[in-house]
Amino acid sequence: MWQSIFSEPEIGDKILWPFAVMLWVDWWPCSLSASSSESSSTSDLAPLPSGTSVKFEWEDKDKDFEYLQNDNFDIDEELPTLPASQVLEGLIVLCETPELARKLEFLVPHMMELLWVGREDLKTKVIMILKRLINQNLEKKKASPMDEYLVENLPRFFDMESSDMREAFICLFRDYLGSAVLRNNKHLKTSLRSALVPLLIRTSDQSLSVAKAAQEALLAAAKLLKWRELKELVKKQQMWRIGECLVGKDRSRAEEYLRQGLSYLKDPEASVREAAIRFIGVATRHLRNRSQEQLDEICSALQPLKTDSNVVVSCLAEQTISILTALGPTPSPRFRPEALLFWRRRPHP
């Protein structure tokens, strides 16, 4: 039935946007017009059909859809009636077909917002859909807005409260790193660097399966970026040297990496807080224009951890504060007239 519906482009395109709207309406009690406006800002893959829409209801227990095309559909008065859980079940079926999976890409931002809702059944279904979408698109060459969205947003879910969810999303990201579209897109590979610090810190996760998944994803990222030193360090499991490698290789990102490390100081796991402190010390030393204001801010963030319930964390925090205080701001470059004279006297090649 699904193949029949989507074989007609005009019908298929009208069905997909109501799916997006239903995903929003089921959890956000705002007007449908406002939801549609927010939805369109997160995706530019499919325009909302003007003047028409589709309303769905379950026809029977086999989860077949009955759709009605309304020429005078009032978006402010008529609301779709299908719950998000059932919408996701339908999407799982659609993702089995490569052609339909491509049509569903624009729904990814709407589905991933459901991950912040405290229902494990929805989260599990969203992961199933994302996994199928990624698997169906591993060999595609041309990047789509979904690809940029996944690179930028999948790392947000590495830190979910449930260790099972953390593992699931890290594994999802690891699999996605094998896609042809990432190998062939320089811009996406550059954006990928923002996921390196979260992956590094998650290698210290108390859950061994999460830590292993993070290590595998970090290795996949190193291979994709053709970063030989990082790849060797991950293979040798020399995690304490990876932070130095990351920041030393790309000092222009030192401040960004530092901000990422600071966000882990309040993590519920002591091993993660410890890894974050160690990384913060490394990143701070590599700041190009380290100011006293920055040092004060970093030390202020570390201060509460001096009384951490974990002895290793509290001692490390106190030690790091002392080191950073002694380190001080980056010395200002001094102008030496003799250096200018020496430069002028050099013979031209």
Side-chain angles (χ1 to χ4, degrees):
M1 185 196 75
W2 290 113
Q3 283 78 3
S4 298
I5 290 177
F6 280 89
S7 64
E8 298 292 335
E10 292 184 2
I11 298 177
D13 291 342
K14 291 176 182 177
I15 287 175
L16 291 178
W17 256 108
F19 267 32
V21 174
M22 282 185 274
L23 289 175
W24 279 87
V25 170
D26 194 43
W27 290 105
W28 284 269
C30 55
S31 71
L32 189 55
S33 57
S35 298
S36 299
S37 175
E38 293 175 10
S39 300
S40 61
S41 67
T42 59
S43 171
D44 57 1
L45 281 174
L48 181 65
S50 59
T52 59
S53 189
V54 181
K55 182 176 180 178
F56 285 87
E57 294 180 354
W58 288 115
E59 187 176 19
D60 55 34
K61 58 180 71 174
D62 293 328
K63 297 184 174 66
D64 287 336
F65 284 109
E66 179 182 29
Y67 64 93
L68 303 171
Q69 181 174 340
N70 301 316
D71 293 331
N72 298 313
F73 184 79
D74 189 338
I75 201 167
D76 290 318
E77 295 180 5
E78 278 194 69
L79 297 179
T81 59
L82 197 61
S85 60
Q86 293 177 316
V87 173
L88 294 175
E89 288 174 10
L91 294 178
I92 290 173
V93 176
L94 293 177
C95 288
E96 294 177 353
T97 306
E99 183 180 352
L100 299 185
R102 286 192 294 272
K103 287 179 175 286
L104 296 174
E105 286 187 358
F106 86 99
L107 287 174
V108 168
H110 309 287
M111 288 187 291
M112 290 183 72
E113 288 305 315
L114 293 176
L115 294 166
W116 301 112
V117 179
R119 279 184 51 180
E120 296 301 316
D121 62 323
L122 292 182
K123 294 176 184 178
T124 301
K125 289 171 184 175
V126 170
I127 290 173
M128 289 177 63
I129 293 169
L130 291 174
K131 189 169 186 177
R132 293 189 182 189
L133 284 177
I134 288 173
N135 289 339
Q136 294 284 13
N137 288 290
L138 283 178
E139 298 306 319
K140 75 174 185 179
K141 302 289 196 256
K142 188 177 179 180
S144 67
M146 182 195 77
D147 296 298
E148 189 161 345
Y149 183 86
L150 288 178
V151 169
E152 294 178 357
N153 288 278
L154 277 179
R156 295 168 57 203
F157 302 94
F158 294 171
D159 307 316
M160 297 190 79
E161 185 176 350
S162 164
S163 61
D164 290 338
M165 286 293 160
R166 293 199 298 274
E167 181 182 358
F169 275 99
I170 292 174
C171 289
L172 200 64
F173 191 72
R174 177 202 62 199
D175 295 343
Y176 182 60
L177 292 176
S179 64
V181 71
L182 283 183
R183 291 195 302 269
N184 300 323
N185 191 296
K186 184 178 179 180
H187 171 68
L188 290 179
K189 284 197 284 189
T190 301
S191 300
L192 169 64
R193 291 177 181 264
S194 296
L196 298 178
V197 171
L199 288 175
L200 169 60
I201 292 180
R202 276 296 155 201
T203 61
S204 299
D205 199 287
Q206 288 179 2
S207 168
L208 295 180
S209 60
V210 173
K212 181 182 178 182
Q215 185 176 336
E216 291 173 350
L218 199 56
L219 180 59
K223 290 179 179 178
L224 182 65
L225 294 170
K226 298 181 180 180
W227 197 339
R228 182 179 300 178
E229 183 184 0
L230 177 60
K231 183 171 67 173
E232 292 303 316
L233 290 175
V234 177
K235 282 184 176 179
K236 295 176 182 178
Q237 298 187 16
Q238 295 180 345
M239 300 303 169
W240 64 92
R241 292 180 55 193
I242 292 178
E244 195 78 41
C245 174
L246 287 181
V247 188
K249 179 77 173 180
D250 193 356
R251 293 187 65 183
S252 63
R253 287 180 175 264
E255 188 168 352
E256 175 192 344
Y257 289 157
L258 174 62
R259 295 292 174 190
Q260 288 180 311
L262 288 168
S263 68
Y264 285 93
L265 292 179
K266 295 181 180 180
D267 194 273
E269 295 189 359
S271 60
V272 172
R273 296 196 299 275
E274 178 186 347
I277 295 172
R278 295 187 187 280
F279 180 78
I280 287 167
V282 171
T284 303
R285 291 197 303 273
H286 282 82
L287 286 176
R288 285 180 171 175
N289 299 303
R290 187 175 56 247
S291 67
Q292 187 60 51
E293 183 180 1
Q294 284 178 313
L295 287 172
D296 292 342
E297 182 182 352
I298 296 166
C299 291
S300 177
L302 291 169
Q303 192 69 29
L305 276 73
K306 290 173 64 176
T307 58
D308 195 275
S309 57
N310 184 279
V311 178
V312 175
V313 171
S314 60
C315 291
L316 184 60
E318 186 169 2
Q319 181 183 14
T320 304
I321 290 173
S322 299
I323 292 173
L324 296 183
T325 301
L327 184 65
T330 305
S332 300
R334 296 179 179 178
F335 176 71
R336 296 184 300 162
E338 61 272 18
L340 182 59
L341 288 173
F342 174 76
W343 180 82
R344 285 180 175 177
R345 288 173 183 172
R346 283 187 304 171
H348 291 286

